[in-house]
Amino acid sequence: MSPSSSARAEKNALGDETGGMSVLDLPELALECVLERLPPAGLCSMAGVCTSLRERCVSDHLWEKHMKHKWGRVISPAAYREWQWHLASRKDLGSCKQGKPKWFMRLLSIFWPSSWSTPKVDPVNNSRQRSSLPVNSIMSWYLALETGKFWFPAQVFNRENGHVGFMLSCYDAELNYDPRTDTFQASFFFFCKRCCFYVKIMNGHGKLRAPSVDTSPHDLHISDYLHDLLPGDHIEIQWRRNKEFPYGWWYGVVGHLESCDGNENYCRCHNSETVVLEFHQYTPGSRWRSTTVNRKEHREEGNEADGFYGGIRKLYNNEEVFRWKRLWPTEVLE
């Protein structure tokens, strides 16, 4: 039987059940508009009605906006690569002919309507069929994130829930979402990934971001824009306690040289090879208040007492600067 004949048969069957028109009787554009306005749970419920609606409701273009709205700020290309590796490593995926893999059936049964995991009646052949969802789809990725079945890489602002030693910093972690409490569990690695510890993150979406650069936290980020830095520019700089630890990103601003009085009309700091970086969250006189780097030859600099400063990012996006300022400590740090 052709697809169009099957769709007509489903329309007739649904019409018989409802005693009149069904949603499949809507014009194509109207039906698409209805589906675009459904929340994720609504799409899942609608997909359990019949084969025709299921094929529409699992479509990537419907789930792209939900993924972007809920996860767009924390999901990066690195997270997508992790997801692809996760799929490739599953031993029980099976072929498409075998239906959904067992792990994905368990995932759906935890959070979404039971209609997805029960056989459907085919109104044409009067037979029972199981739902089929492409595992490598945006919907399946969204469900894996939403149900906490997938750990993904992201960065955490002010880790350890605002501990004074990590104020205005951002560290790489593996994260897992808990839908029951709307919190995240973060796994932080140190000592070159030989050890890790876990932290529960409240109000997670406000404290997370996708990695700003595709650089491992154990590698030095290559600074490309040091020649552009001017006093007043906002920056992030890598810093680590010692060479066994991974880098975190710390917020700061470009300052003036000691020989400059800060007058814009006479400032020549941009002509100097030395760049002053200031961290105003610390009190004047604190050893963490400022540091200097060489504009032309900057690599990792520092020592075991004060830690090691690495690569630098200039912040061009006002939204990035605003996110840092929202996390500003209520008291100046020592």
Side-chain angles (χ1 to χ4, degrees):
M1 180 175 290
S2 67
S4 59
S5 299
S6 176
R8 284 196 298 272
E10 288 193 335
K11 286 184 180 181
N12 294 334
L14 289 173
D16 292 341
E17 291 179 8
T18 59
M21 289 184 61
S22 76
V23 68
L24 291 176
D25 291 315
L26 291 172
E28 188 73 17
L29 182 58
L31 177 55
E32 188 69 16
C33 288
V34 169
L35 297 180
E36 286 179 351
R37 285 165 172 75
L38 289 178
L43 279 174
C44 286
S45 296
M46 187 72 81
V49 174
C50 65
T51 303
S52 294
L53 286 174
R54 180 163 62 252
E55 291 173 352
R56 296 171 183 268
C57 291
V58 303
S59 181
D60 279 353
H61 81 274
L62 291 175
W63 286 90
E64 281 176 357
K65 71 170 186 177
H66 295 301
M67 177 66 82
K68 184 176 181 180
H69 175 73
K70 181 68 179 285
W71 298 100
R73 288 179 175 269
V74 298
I75 291 299
S76 66
Y80 182 73
R81 290 195 297 269
E82 290 276 352
W83 171 243
Q84 295 299 307
W85 294 334
H86 174 77
L87 294 180
S89 66
R90 301 298 304 195
K91 295 181 180 180
D92 55 351
L93 285 178
S95 67
C96 295
K97 294 181 180 179
Q98 295 174 317
K100 290 196 296 294
K102 292 180 181 180
W103 72 271
F104 201 77
M105 292 292 290
R106 291 196 295 269
L107 183 154
L108 287 173
S109 66
I110 293 172
F111 199 71
W112 300 99
S114 59
S115 59
W116 265 94
S117 56
T118 56
K120 306 292 185 298
V121 176
D122 185 335
V124 181
N125 302 316
N126 196 30
S127 61
R128 299 184 75 82
Q129 300 177 335
R130 284 198 173 270
S131 304
S132 179
L133 174 63
V135 176
N136 189 18
S137 66
I138 295 179
M139 180 182 180
S140 64
W141 190 20
Y142 182 97
L143 296 180
L145 290 167
E146 192 73 15
T147 55
K149 292 298 178 181
F150 174 61
W151 286 78
F152 61 93
Q155 292 181 336
V156 181
F157 289 100
N158 293 0
R159 84 181 200 196
E160 299 190 30
N161 296 318
H163 185 282
V164 66
F166 295 97
M167 296 301 289
L168 295 189
S169 69
C170 196
Y171 276 79
D172 287 83
E174 293 284 324
L175 289 122
N176 174 262
Y177 179 63
D178 183 349
R180 296 167 299 177
T181 59
D182 192 27
T183 60
F184 288 84
Q185 183 172 232
S187 172
F188 294 96
F189 295 93
F190 56 100
F191 291 116
C192 298
K193 291 197 173 184
R194 288 197 294 269
C195 304
C196 67
F197 67 94
Y198 296 90
V199 175
K200 191 171 186 177
I201 302 174
M202 312 298 290
N203 185 28
H205 284 281
K207 295 182 179 178
L208 307 178
R209 74 174 184 184
S212 52
V213 294
D214 196 12
T215 302
S216 165
H218 299 280
D219 296 333
L220 179 73
H221 173 67
I222 302 303
S223 308
D224 297 326
Y225 305 104
L226 295 184
H227 61 280
D228 288 338
L229 293 180
L230 302 172
D233 284 344
H234 302 268
I235 59 97
E236 294 176 8
I237 185 169
Q238 289 177 309
W239 181 87
R240 57 181 173 180
R241 169 62 71 180
N242 60 52
K243 298 202 174 193
E244 291 292 317
F245 278 67
Y247 287 110
W249 289 95
W250 294 73
Y251 171 74
V253 295
V254 178
H256 291 273
L257 297 169
E258 286 188 14
S259 59
C260 179
D261 62 5
N263 188 316
E264 294 182 1
N265 297 320
Y266 301 101
C267 177
R268 295 293 181 268
C269 294
H270 59 280
N271 294 327
S272 173
E273 292 186 5
T274 300
V275 181
V276 177
L277 304 178
E278 298 181 339
F279 307 93
H280 292 166
Q281 61 267 39
Y282 294 99
T283 58
S286 168
R287 63 174 176 160
W288 310 113
R289 174 74 177 196
S290 67
T291 190
T292 59
V293 298
N294 186 290
R295 194 186 297 270
K296 293 183 177 180
E297 300 177 357
H298 174 61
R299 299 291 292 174
E300 185 180 64
E301 301 176 19
N303 53 60
E304 292 293 334
D306 298 328
F308 295 87
Y309 294 91
I312 298 170
R313 289 183 63 232
K314 180 178 176 178
L315 303 183
Y316 293 93
N317 189 325
N318 289 333
E319 184 178 350
E320 284 191 285
V321 176
F322 177 71
R323 290 197 73 180
W324 282 111
K325 289 188 174 181
R326 282 197 311 173
L327 299 168
W328 201 268
T330 55
E331 298 180 359
V332 179
L333 310 178
E334 296 294 334

